[in-house]
Amino acid sequence: MSIQSRIDLKLKELGRLAPLGYFVGLHIRFTAPLMTFQTYSKAWLDHYTENGFVLRDPMTAWGFSSNGSIRWSDPGLPDPFLLFVEARKFGLKFGCTISCGPIKSRTIASFARDDREYTDEEIASLQDIVCELHGFTQPPENLTKAQIEALRCVAGGDRHAAAAAKLGISESALKARLNSVRVRLMARTTAEAIQRAKDFRLL
């Protein structure tokens, strides 16, 4: 099973446990996640963005300072900007957040429902799934010299034929290198692979 198929399978499981939506940020490095998945309503996302809540979200702050899980209703969780009060207006009445991984590559995920609190068992299931997603989407620590050379040529504006000639390889060999990079960086396109390689300082 491909990594993308495994991701899709796990996201379906999360969807069943989060009827009001979820947000998953995998491997947050240098303030940006490797992958982001979310199913919250457009109305809530627009409201969240327009009000700059990302800078005031108690779950973001908690996620970077803790590993584990927490309910949004936890009395020890500070919410000075009343984000949870706003969320309730959009039906996000109950929720929990999961955080895992080292601080240099943290995964943070939040889940919401409107009918009741999450049970301990449900939170444990969510945590297992999030940790699995974190585990099999771990980005590589480096790329091979051949992969880097191929990416650099394309990033520099060379078309496949020109890049292959520059490297002294066939065009099919160049495409094979680029494909291996996309697989390794879990990117759908070469452009996305180039950006991820730059984000992870591999290029």
Side-chain angles (χ1 to χ4, degrees), residues 1-10 136:
M1 183 182 294
S2 70
I3 289 177
Q4 190 58 53
S5 296
R6 292 175 70 188
I7 291 172
D8 292 342
L9 186 63
K10 293 302 175 184
F136 64 70

Side-chain angles (χ1 to χ4, degrees), residues 6 19 29 34 50 52 69 90 122 129 131 147 156 172 191 199 202:
R6 292 175 70 188
R29 294 181 168 192
L34 169 67
E50 289 165 7
S69 63
F90 291 81
E122 287 169 333
I129 296 168
C131 289
Q147 290 170 332
S172 61
D199 290 343
L202 302 175

Side-chain angles (χ1 to χ4, degrees), residues 6-82:
R6 292 175 70 188
I7 291 172
D8 292 342
L9 186 63
K10 293 302 175 184
L11 292 179
K12 284 183 182 178
E13 292 180 38
L14 294 181
R16 287 193 289 270
L17 289 166
L20 260 289
Y22 62 75
F23 167 86
V24 179
L26 293 168
H27 298 284
I28 303 169
R29 294 181 168 192
F30 318 116
T31 73
L34 169 67
M35 297 178 183
T36 302
F37 304 98
Q38 72 79 27
T39 60
Y40 291 133
S41 71
K42 184 178 185 302
W44 168 243
L45 290 175
D46 289 345
H47 186 69
Y48 186 95
T49 302
E50 289 165 7
N51 289 277
F53 285 145
V54 68
L55 302 174
R56 302 178 284 170
D57 192 330
M59 293 296 80
T60 302
W62 178 86
F64 277 113
S65 64
S66 308
N67 260 309
S69 63
I70 191 169
R71 288 183 178 86
W72 295 353
S73 61
D74 190 303
L77 183 65
D79 184 18
F81 299 103
L82 304 179

Side-chain angles (χ1 to χ4, degrees), residues 15 18 28 40 66 77 81 86 96-97 112 123 133 143 172 183 200:
I28 303 169
Y40 291 133
S66 308
L77 183 65
F81 299 103
E86 290 297 306
C96 68
T97 294
I123 292 175
L133 281 167
L143 298 173
S172 61
V183 170
F200 301 139

Side-chain angles (χ1 to χ4, degrees), residues 115-133:
D115 53 349
R116 58 171 174 77
E117 290 279 14
Y118 278 99
T119 66
D120 290 345
E121 292 75 18
E122 287 169 333
I123 292 175
S125 294
L126 288 168
Q127 189 164 359
D128 287 345
I129 296 168
V130 171
C131 289
E132 282 186 67
L133 281 167

Side-chain angles (χ1 to χ4, degrees), residues 102-122:
I103 191 65
K104 68 178 183 178
S105 190
R106 184 64 53 90
T107 287
I108 300 173
S110 289
F111 308 92
R113 56 188 312 136
D114 63 349
D115 53 349
R116 58 171 174 77
E117 290 279 14
Y118 278 99
T119 66
D120 290 345
E121 292 75 18
E122 287 169 333

